[in-house]
Structures are given as structure tokens and as C-alpha cells.
Amino acid sequence: MADCEPNAPSEALNDCRPKVRPSASQLDLLLHRLRGVPDGAPTLPEALSLRDSGWHLVVAYCRISNDRHKRDGHGVSDQANHCARIAAKHRLIVVHRYVDNDKPASKAGVERPEFDDMLDALKNGSTAAGYPVDGVVCVSDDRLYRDVHTFQRFLACFTAHATRVYADGLGAYDLYGEDAAQRGLLGAAAARAEISKQGHRAKLNHRARAERGEPVGPRRPFGWKADKVTLHPGESKVVRQGVHSLLQGRTLTAVTQDFAVSGYTSTLGNPWQRQTVKQILRNPRICGYRKLDGALVRDPDGVPVLGLWEPIVSPEEWHSVSDLLDRQRHPGGWSRGGAHSRESARYLLTGLVRCGRPLVDGELCGAPLHGHPTKASYEYRCRAALDGGCGRLSRQGPAVDELITEYALTRLEQQGALGAHTVLPWPGMQELETARHRKATIQEQWYAGEMTDSDYFSQLTREETQIKRLFNERRVWAVEHHPAAQERVDVRSHWTGLNMSAKRETLFRLLESVVIRPGSKGSHRFEPATVVPVWRPSKSGVQAT
């Protein structure tokens, strides 16, 4: 391990200290403990008795937008504790916690599965464990919603049953009155406007600093000292050698191994992985340039702006190594960022299968498995140790897919849910969601003063008429397609007709993950017992197969 410089400032010394970060499995375990019925909560009969004596049984919602730096779940854990204090203050008992970690509420397209589950519990009137839901508690309403559309969804589900209570860090509120709806809409519109302003100001400030060549970022970049300007002699040598090695024909894996044996860790104190090394070598900072929104920052004459920091390699060397890394292929449906997409994945269980091989300390590896083509077909393979896995487990892809598909179809037949949720959707759902979104957008524009009253009310009337018509059509369709009015949907025949994207969407609704455990030593036969599905909590009470 490289020693800290004796005359380095205190923040540099802090950078040299290894920072202990929970493993992915430890974080999953923490979130699992936080979710559901809290430890120490009364049993269902006890809760019902307390409810009869005047207490309200509520659910708590906890969310943090960004846990990518520490990845330890401290934000949602603190919120859970604070929710308990708020509940005790207002004679409320938290009987279920819904926790979305690292889930922003203001970004389009971000799914919040726990928030959606909470809305389902509010609509149904009870949690998955059977506790009645008398209200909601959270630390602040911006944990629940940051836009008008989401607020309307929450309010509709909350008021689906009468006499519910809502409490946050500022007090308890009645959400049934008209003033409460207006307050929530105005608050959501104001939050959306403020988010937009903050984002715009941040972009302007970021670009101005970039054009001045100032270093940015909260952490010391690897290769430089704590001032982010002066080169660190040892670390910069490792980076320079990594660039030269790649240009001489060595692989990224070999270069990552050179980083690993250099005696240095990342500035977070973590061991080296291929993706981390790749990000460093592709970063134009190493040649004195920098990128903003995917493009090099240039002056008015189109010349790249030189930063105030000392470069490690020449611009020509950086361009060559960046082009080299960009040309490398990424098999198995994994994007350059390392994540996967439900729509674009080539294999059925990409994103669900995880390595269940025990490590030296007894914990499971837990790394995602990726699909990898073989001569015969394909297999699910644990990522290499330098990519965050163990590299010691693989399993035949078609056999795993077939087994999990059989488990899923059996479960869907028991639930009778495939026809209701996936195969036979109401044809007008997309049109209804679009109309709701248009209405929410119109309301946001009006609250923000971007639309006149006459335009607002004329457009609002048109959208509400459209929404009412679609609601009536959905009711008629539901009656015509009710199980009592037709034969039970043939799950297996419908499954055969689904495309890859629809099948994966169904499996993601049913499963948290699929854990692949090591098989018998020396055996090359497929062992179904080593493939363990981890089901999401069933809303219908059907147990896992």
C-alpha cells in the first residue's frame, strides 16, 4: 500500500484511509430488514386491538435520491428511524415500511417499485401481511412526490378510503379537504419549478467552471494530489503506464492487474475493477481536457480548453487509448456503463440471475451473472473478479431459462394473474395515461404562470372529458373480460406468443432475483436445486413454488 506523504494536508490523509463500504449483499440485507413489517411491530391481532383503542395503523415511506457514493443505505435507514418518532408523536403505529433506495422522484422513467406497492396497499386498504392501512407517515412530502402527476396518483389512492391520517416532520394534515389538494398541487408545481431552476443553475455553473479550466468534483481524482491540480508521483505513473500498455497491445484485464499490484487503491479505498480502470483511462482529464455532456469543452475558436491541472499523458495518447477502448465489444447484453436494459437484453434472465457462490468470509458473491454465447448456445456467467464478481460460476442458459419459466408459469396459473396484468391489458391504457399526463402538464404550466386562465380551463375541460370517456370504456371492458364472463386465460399459450421484452417484464414483476448456487463438484449435469428463485411478495397470498 502506498504511504501518505508526510507533508500532505489533512484531506489528503483522509483520502489515504481505506473507506469501508458495505458489500452489495450487506446493502441488500439492510434494505430487506427495513422493508415490510418493522422489527418490534405488534402482531396483527395486537394491532387490531390497539386500533380499536384509538391508535391508527400506518405505513411509512422512505426514499433517498442518490446513494451512489456511499452505497450504505444510511439515508433510508435514518428516515425509517425518524418516521418511527413521528408516528409515536401522533399516536400512530407503523405496520409496514416501503423503502426505495437510490431512486430520484423527479427524473422521468425512474421506477419506484416500493412506492407503487404502497399505492396498491392504499387502494386495497391493507398491506401484504393483512394489516389495515389507516394512513401514511414520511419525513417530508417531497419523499413521496415531486410533480403534480405523482401527487394526484398518491392523493387518489390515499383518499380511496375515508378517515385516513397523514403525518410528516412538520405535523399531521387532513388530505381530504379541497385546501389540502390545492396545497399539494401548488407544492408539487413549486417543487418541479425549483428543480428545473436548480438544474439550470447547476448546468450554467458547471459549464462556466469547465470553460475556465477549473477542477470539479467532490473527490480527489486518482493520479493527482488533494488539490486536484498537482500530480501524485506514484499514482500518475500507474495511469501513464496503463495508457502505454494498452497502446502496446496489452488487454484491459492485464492493465487492471497492473493497477491491482501497484500498491495503490482507488481514491475511495476500493480494490481495482476493470470498469474503474477503464473510466480513468477514458477520462480526458488525464491529458488536460475535460468533457461536458459527452463532448469536449472547447473555446469559441473550437479548440479544446486546457484545464489548470497537470496532465499525465499527451492529447494524442489519450485520443488513441479512448478510441481503442470505445471499439471494444461488450457481450451478453451489457452496455458500456455496465448496466442492462430490460428491452435490449439478449437473454431472458439478464438482470435477474445472481451468483450464489460462497466467498472466503462466508458471504455469497451476489454479483449479477451475464449471458455469454458458447459454441452450442449460451450460458450465464459470473463476472470476473476484476469486474466485481468471483469469475468462478457459470450455468447453462437454456436450462436455467426453461426451469424459471416453468416456475413462473406455475405461479401465474395459481394466481390467475397473467391475463389480468400482462397478456390481456385494456387496449386504451396508454391513451388514458397520456391524457392524464397532458392534464398534469397543463396544471403545472398554469400553476407556474405559463398559461392564461382561459387557455387553462378550456384545455382542462377537454382533457377531463377525454379521461372520463376512457374511464367509462375501461369499466365496460372490465365487465366484458371478467373471469366470470369468459374462460380462464390459457397462461402457457399466451406466454408462447409473447416477445422477449414482454416475457422479461413479466418475470421482473414476479421475481426479485434468481440465485445460482454451485453444483456438485465434478458433475456436469444440470441440477435444478441449484437454481433458486427469489419471489417478490405476492399480493394475492400465493406462496412461492
Side-chain angles (χ1 to χ4, degrees):
M1 179 69 66
D3 294 330
C4 296
E5 297 178 9
N7 297 323
S10 59
E11 61 262 33
L13 293 176
N14 288 336
D15 279 333
C16 293
R17 297 172 186 166
K19 299 178 181 178
V20 179
R21 176 186 291 181
S23 65
S25 59
Q26 289 174 324
L27 178 57
D28 289 342
L29 182 61
L30 170 64
L31 296 178
H32 179 73
R33 286 203 307 264
L34 288 176
R35 291 172 177 145
V37 181
D39 293 338
T43 63
L44 181 56
E46 292 171 343
L48 294 176
S49 177
L50 290 169
R51 188 181 189 227
D52 292 338
S53 64
W55 288 78
H56 290 87
L57 309 182
V58 299
V59 297
Y61 181 72
C62 308
R63 178 187 66 80
I64 187 171
S65 298
N66 190 333
D67 190 34
R68 280 170 286 182
H69 294 306
K70 292 190 175 181
R71 295 187 186 275
D72 60 357
H74 71 283
V76 288
S77 180
D78 293 344
Q79 288 183 31
N81 294 332
H82 192 36
C83 283
R85 290 191 290 268
I86 295 172
K89 182 178 178 181
H90 297 282
R91 283 182 64 83
L92 310 176
I93 300 174
V94 177
V95 296
H96 196 103
R97 285 193 297 241
Y98 297 94
V99 178
D100 282 316
N101 190 52
D102 203 15
K103 300 285 186 181
S106 56
K107 287 187 178 180
V110 175
E111 296 182 1
R112 290 195 283 159
E114 289 284 300
F115 179 76
D116 293 335
D117 289 346
M118 181 187 68
L119 295 188
D120 287 341
L122 289 172
K123 284 189 293 187
N124 297 332
S126 62
T127 68
Y131 289 90
V133 180
D134 298 328
V136 175
V137 61
C138 63
V139 297
S140 175
D141 54 9
D142 66 358
R143 300 300 88 198
L144 291 164
Y145 52 84
R146 300 296 295 272
D147 59 74
V148 172
H149 178 59
T150 308
F151 168 73
Q152 290 176 320
R153 288 180 60 208
F154 169 72
L155 186 64
C157 296
F158 185 92
T159 56
H161 296 261
T163 66
R164 279 179 169 160
V165 295
Y166 170 79
D168 60 21
L170 299 178
Y173 302 95
D174 176 15
L175 298 188
Y176 292 89
E178 183 178 348
D179 58 338
Q182 292 175 349
R183 168 184 166 272
L185 289 171
L186 289 171
R192 172 62 66 178
E194 183 60 27
I195 289 169
S196 178
K197 291 178 182 177
Q198 289 176 353
H200 183 62
R201 289 195 298 266
K203 285 183 178 179
L204 290 178
N205 178 59
H206 207 55
R207 175 159 289 279
R209 295 182 64 185
E211 290 173 348
R212 293 195 297 267
E214 296 178 3
V216 296
R219 294 197 305 270
R220 176 182 70 86
F222 185 82
W224 286 265
K225 295 182 179 180
D227 61 6
K228 305 175 187 175
V229 173
T230 308
L231 288 181
H232 185 291
E235 293 180 355
S236 60
K237 181 179 179 181
V238 175
V239 175
R240 187 180 301 109
Q241 184 59 46
V243 171
H244 294 165
S245 296
L246 282 178
L247 295 179
Q248 292 167 6
R250 298 189 69 199
T251 66
L252 181 59
T253 298
V255 171
T256 305
Q257 291 172 341
D258 291 342
F259 271 69
V261 301
S262 67
Y264 297 97
T265 63
S266 72
T267 52
L268 285 176
N270 297 325
W272 291 108
Q273 296 183 8
R274 276 171 29 107
Q275 187 63 26
T276 310
V277 173
K278 182 178 179 182
Q279 289 172 350
I280 290 175
L281 300 184
R282 291 183 70 239
N283 191 339
R285 192 184 211 282
I286 65 175
C287 75
Y289 295 165
R290 67 160 301 184
K291 281 186 177 181
L292 192 62
D293 297 329
L296 288 176
V297 178
R298 301 176 182 272
D299 63 18
D301 297 327
V303 179
V305 174
L306 284 175
L308 301 178
W309 54 89
E310 298 179 40
I312 297 178
V313 297
S314 69
E316 293 76 18
E317 289 173 320
W318 172 75
H319 277 293
S320 297
V321 79
S322 180
D323 291 342
L324 177 66
L325 291 173
D326 284 341
R327 290 196 301 268
Q328 291 185 353
R329 296 182 62 188
H330 297 261
W334 292 88
S335 69
R336 295 190 187 278
H340 57 84
S341 165
R342 293 191 191 181
E343 290 76 18
S344 62
R346 296 171 55 191
Y347 305 103
L348 185 65
L349 298 177
T350 299
L352 283 174
V353 279
R354 288 186 173 271
C355 178
R357 178 177 173 271
L359 302 178
V360 177
D361 58 4
E363 292 189 10
L364 299 184
C365 171
L369 306 185
H370 66 276
H372 195 280
T374 62
K375 290 183 179 180
S377 56
Y378 61 93
E379 65 182 8
Y380 291 113
R381 182 183 298 179
C382 187
R383 303 165 77 182
L386 293 176
D387 283 335
C390 67
R392 300 280 300 277
L393 185 142
S394 63
R395 200 58 45 87
Q396 305 98 308
V400 175
D401 288 353
E402 183 179 351
L403 180 65
I404 292 300
T405 297
E406 180 60 32
Y407 286 159
L409 293 178
T410 302
R411 187 175 178 86
L412 288 168
E413 287 174 336
Q414 293 173 346
Q415 293 178 343
L418 186 61
H421 294 297
T422 305
V423 179
L424 291 177
W426 174 54
M429 181 56 73
Q430 183 62 42
E431 186 179 1
L432 176 59
E433 289 299 320
T434 302
R436 285 171 167 171
H437 180 70
R438 284 199 303 264
K439 178 182 175 182
T441 302
I442 291 169
Q443 289 175 322
E444 284 190 47
Q445 293 174 345
W446 184 57
Y447 287 126
E450 300 172 356
M451 181 181 293
T452 65
D453 291 350
S454 58
D455 288 341
Y456 168 68
F457 286 110
S458 64
Q459 294 187 39
L460 183 66
T461 300
R462 183 165 59 250
E463 295 301 336
E464 287 182 338
T465 301
Q466 175 82 339
I467 291 172
K468 185 175 181 180
R469 177 183 65 80
L470 292 169
F471 266 117
N472 290 334
E473 289 182 2
R474 186 169 70 172
R475 291 192 188 99
V476 172
W477 185 92
V479 171
E480 292 176 350
H481 293 78
H482 192 275
Q486 63 174 16
E487 295 182 0
R488 177 179 291 272
V489 175
D490 185 343
V491 170
R492 296 176 185 273
S493 63
H494 280 288
W495 177 268
T496 304
L498 294 177
N499 59 25
M500 172 71 82
S501 177
K503 289 179 179 179
R504 284 175 50 76
E505 188 66 32
T506 302
L507 293 175
F508 271 85
R509 287 179 183 272
L510 291 173
L511 291 156
E512 291 280 1
S513 62
V514 176
V515 179
I516 308 296
R517 294 175 177 170
S520 301
K521 191 172 182 178
S523 173
H524 296 284
R525 299 181 59 184
F526 178 69
E527 301 175 61
T530 63
V531 180
V532 183
V534 181
W535 303 99
R536 291 185 180 275
S538 174
K539 298 171 185 176
S540 62
V542 178
Q543 299 300 314
T545 55

